Amino acid sequence: MRCTAPRSTLRKIIKNHKPQLRLAANADLLVHLNFLLFLHRLAEEARTNAFENKSKVIKPEHTMSAAKVL
């Protein structure tokens, strides 16, 4: 069983879901994918922190505390 997706598959996924990203031919897709996953985790953690503080707005301190956790 394969653990990683082929680069062409990753390129198609990124192109379909994030068309604003311009990937060069020599771009390392795994770096971009890891960055997008990190941003997603950071957003989820910041949203959780805001919810725990009973805030309807995600504030910079929620994001900073999430970044320290991640």
Side-chain angles (χ1 to χ4, degrees):
M1 191 161 85
R2 289 175 92 167
C3 293
T4 59
R7 292 193 186 280
S8 61
T9 304
L10 291 174
R11 186 176 297 278
K12 287 178 189 175
I13 291 170
I14 291 174
K15 190 174 182 179
N16 288 339
H17 293 287
K18 298 289 182 183
Q20 68 274 16
L21 288 178
R22 302 277 187 235
L23 295 176
N26 62 352
D28 189 2
L29 293 176
L30 295 179
V31 171
H32 286 286
L33 187 61
N34 283 336
F35 179 68
L36 291 173
L37 289 173
F38 171 74
L39 287 180
H40 181 70
R41 286 195 325 241
L42 184 66
E44 289 292 324
E45 189 70 27
R47 187 179 307 136
T48 303
N49 289 343
F51 181 73
E52 288 174 354
N53 292 338
K54 298 179 181 172
S55 175
K56 292 183 179 181
V57 177
I58 297 175
K59 298 178 183 172
E61 53 266 13
H62 297 139
T63 307
M64 292 303 294
S65 64
K68 289 177 184 176
V69 170
L70 295 177

